[in-house]
Amino acid sequence: RTVSPGTRDNLAQEARIRGVDPERLVFAPHIEAAEDYLARQSLADLYLDTIPYNAHTTACDALWAGVPVLTCAGKGLAGRAAASALTAVGLPELITSNLQEYEERALELARDRGKLTALRSRLAKTRRESPLFDTELYCRHLEAAYEGMHRRVAEGAPVGFDVTPIVLAEAPEALREQGKEFLRLGQPQAAFEKFELALAREPGDAS
């Protein structure tokens, strides 16, 4: 939770070797409140991901706080977590494939305030609608997966299947599509509720 003295000394030494004054390194103390932690994250300009083991939850925390995350994708799961998060939040240009590209992109963003500001603006606009942070949509897809598993076991069908994307928009057409999806999943009551909502929003259409 806190940076050990040995870690501080090692980082200070590496900074000094590379011509960076160790006094420029800021080691923030641990804080308990999540809202304070996220608020402090937002003060950063750019989050530089670690390799070969990527940030996982902390990368998502940074993105939620509005801080762009730059990563270098590895070959295994642990080295591709941040790349997955960036893809889901709509910032694939922050995924690099090698250390040289990673360093060049970091320097490019550090030297070009306009590009960095544009990335932060995009993130602020899209993060709530992105699959990464759409908790309701994630829950619906997870529920559909569980229901699909149960149905296929009951039917004796092969175990492999895909979950059909669910649209959560409240437009009548979207509600009707959700109703059809629930029918396909064998949930007539849930389908009826969606069709009722669609009809209430568009009374003249009884299709």
Side-chain angles (χ1 to χ4, degrees):
R1 290 197 173 201
T2 57
V3 180
S4 68
T7 300
R8 287 174 180 256
D9 292 343
N10 288 339
L11 290 171
Q13 179 180 347
E14 291 300 322
R16 194 178 294 110
I17 290 172
R18 288 160 176 75
V20 177
D21 184 353
E23 293 299 317
R24 295 182 63 188
L25 301 181
V26 177
F27 297 96
H30 173 73
I31 48 179
E32 292 289 345
E35 60 269 22
D36 293 336
Y37 160 71
L38 291 171
R40 185 171 67 185
Q41 284 250 29
S42 68
L43 299 175
D45 293 318
L46 180 65
Y47 186 110
L48 298 178
D49 192 22
T50 54
I51 48 176
Y53 197 100
N54 282 181
H56 290 58
T57 303
T58 47
C60 293
D61 288 342
L63 291 169
W64 180 252
V67 181
V69 174
L70 179 65
T71 190
C72 182
K75 296 181 179 179
L77 172 65
R80 303 184 68 85
S84 177
L86 286 165
T87 300
V89 85
L91 293 175
E93 66 266 43
L94 292 178
I95 304 169
T96 63
S97 58
N98 56 67
L99 288 177
Q100 181 178 346
E101 184 186 2
Y102 177 78
E103 182 178 352
E104 290 173 352
R105 190 72 51 80
L107 290 172
E108 175 189 354
L109 293 172
R111 293 166 176 165
D112 192 331
R113 177 64 60 174
K115 286 186 178 180
L116 196 54
T117 300
L119 282 171
R120 293 179 70 99
S121 297
R122 270 178 57 199
L123 182 56
K125 291 176 182 177
T126 63
R127 63 174 181 171
R128 290 187 180 275
E129 289 76 31
S130 72
L132 183 62
F133 296 117
D134 194 334
T135 306
E136 183 182 0
L137 182 61
Y138 178 86
C139 289
R140 297 296 170 267
H141 282 142
L142 185 60
E143 290 167 351
Y146 289 151
E147 290 161 353
M149 292 176 201
H150 177 74
R151 186 180 68 255
R152 294 179 77 83
V153 169
E155 296 171 350
V159 294
F161 69 98
D162 293 325
V163 175
T164 303
I166 298 171
V167 181
L168 294 181
E170 293 300 318
E173 180 58 33
L175 288 167
R176 284 192 290 273
E177 289 302 315
Q178 291 175 43
K180 293 175 184 177
E181 176 63 17
F182 280 124
L183 282 177
R184 192 188 70 80
L185 294 171
Q187 301 177 56
Q189 182 58 40
F192 178 73
E193 292 173 359
K194 293 297 181 182
F195 292 141
E196 269 198 325
L197 283 173
L199 188 59
R201 284 168 171 74
E202 207 168 60
D205 185 356
S207 60

